[in-house]
Amino acid sequence: GVILHILLLGFPPFRGTTSAQIVKQVKTGSLCAAVDLLPEDVRALLEGLLQPNPAQRCTAAEAVKSPWFDLVGRSSTHRLESPLKRNMRRFSQCPTLTKAAMHAAARLEGNSEEALRLRKIFNFIDSDASGFISAGELQRALGGTLEEARAILVGMDVNGTGRLGFTEFMAGALNGKGRTKEAFSVFDRQNKGHVDVGHVLSVFNSNVTSSFVERAVNEVGHGSADVVLSEEQFELFFEM
C-alpha cells in the first residue's frame, strides 16, 4: 500500500515532522486529501491496502482482483477519472443557472464534513497557498493536459478572474444530486413554490459579469430575469 501510494502520488501516505506524528497517522490510517483526486477503483484499493487493522487489510490475492487492474491491463491508454474531476468537468459544461444553483448548494454546506473535506483538497491543490487555484495547479492535481484544465477552470470561473476561489471550487466539486430542495429553499424563503431567475442569480452578489447573467436568462428561454421557475423546473438544473 505504501509503495502504491508513492507510485501514484509521489510521496508516502503517512507524513509528519516527528516520528510520533507519523506513528499516530499509521495507527489511525488517516490519508491525505490527495487520495480523493484518484479514481474510485484505485482509491478503494489503496485504502484497503493501507487499512491499519491487519484482519481487515486487503491481501495480495484480493488486491489483484481490483477492477483497477482490469482497466489498466485492458488498455494502457484507458482514461481513469476521479469523481472529483468528473464533477468539475461536468459542472464546467453545465447551463449557467445550474452553476448558480450549485453555488447556493455550496454555501449551504457551511462547515459540514463535506465542506471540510473539500477544503483540505482545495488547500492541497493550491500549492502556492495563494487562496486560489490556477490552471497549472489544477492540471497538476487532476492530470490531463493544461488545455483541458484551462477549459474546466474557465467553465467554473463565474466571476472571470482566471482562477478559482474556494466557493467556486466547491460548487464544481459537489455532486448536485440530493441537494435540490435545500438549494430551492434558499431562494423560496416565502414558500411560494417558485422562484425567479434573477433571484437565483443573486447568489453571486453581483460578483459576475453582465454577460454571465445574460447567458443564464437566455438559457432559460426568456429574455427577462423575472421568469418564474417551479421547483420541478429548478430541479432540472441539478441534472449534471
Side-chain angles (χ1 to χ4, degrees):
V2 173
I3 293 174
L4 181 60
H5 191 285
I6 294 173
L7 289 173
L8 290 169
L9 297 172
F11 54 85
F14 308 113
R15 298 186 294 173
T17 56
T18 66
S19 297
Q21 290 178 348
I22 296 174
V23 170
K24 182 179 180 181
Q25 286 194 26
V26 171
K27 288 182 177 179
T28 60
S30 58
L31 302 177
C32 74
V35 172
D36 285 310
L37 299 173
L38 298 172
E40 292 169 298
D41 290 333
V42 68
R43 185 178 65 189
L45 172 61
L46 193 59
E47 290 173 343
L49 291 171
L50 293 172
Q51 167 61 240
N53 186 340
Q56 299 176 1
R57 190 175 301 147
C58 180
T59 65
E62 292 170 335
V64 296
K65 295 178 182 178
S66 167
W68 181 61
F69 283 108
D70 292 336
L71 291 173
V72 175
R74 186 160 62 240
S75 172
S76 60
T77 59
H78 185 91
R79 188 170 188 175
L80 298 173
E81 188 172 63
S82 69
L84 178 68
K85 182 176 181 179
R86 183 165 59 246
N87 286 346
M88 293 174 72
R89 178 174 50 77
R90 288 176 178 174
F91 176 87
S92 69
Q93 300 168 354
C94 278
T96 309
L97 201 62
T98 300
K99 296 174 183 178
M102 285 305 297
H103 269 254
R107 295 184 182 191
L108 283 170
E109 289 294 323
N111 291 319
S112 68
E113 184 176 334
E114 178 68 359
L116 294 175
R117 183 185 74 86
L118 290 174
R119 170 61 77 176
K120 290 180 180 178
I121 297 174
F122 178 87
N123 290 342
F124 177 83
I125 298 175
D126 178 23
S127 57
D128 64 359
S130 66
F132 297 92
I133 293 176
S134 67
E137 289 173 327
L138 196 63
Q139 186 268 331
R140 286 191 292 274
L142 300 182
T145 66
L146 183 58
E147 289 72 22
E148 181 184 20
R150 282 174 177 158
I152 292 175
L153 186 144
V154 168
M156 295 175 64
D157 177 25
V158 298
N159 58 13
T161 62
R163 54 187 185 172
L164 299 179
F166 178 63
T167 301
E168 290 174 312
F169 170 79
M170 184 160 65
L174 285 172
N175 187 326
K177 188 176 181 180
R179 292 183 165 87
T180 310
K181 290 187 179 298
E182 292 180 349
F184 185 81
S185 66
V186 171
F187 306 110
D188 185 27
R189 291 175 180 169
Q190 297 180 349
N191 298 316
K192 293 181 178 179
H194 62 263
V195 297
D196 62 79
V197 174
H199 194 185
V200 174
L201 291 174
S202 69
V203 71
F204 293 115
N205 297 323
S206 302
N207 290 326
V208 293
T209 62
S210 58
S211 61
F212 181 92
V213 176
E214 184 179 349
R215 284 200 307 274
V217 172
N218 290 335
E219 285 167 359
V220 177
H222 300 270
S224 170
D226 295 328
V227 62
V228 172
L229 298 175
S230 67
E231 185 172 350
E232 290 74 21
Q233 292 171 315
F234 182 85
E235 186 175 355
L236 294 175
F237 291 95
F238 273 84
E239 295 183 359
M240 299 172 61

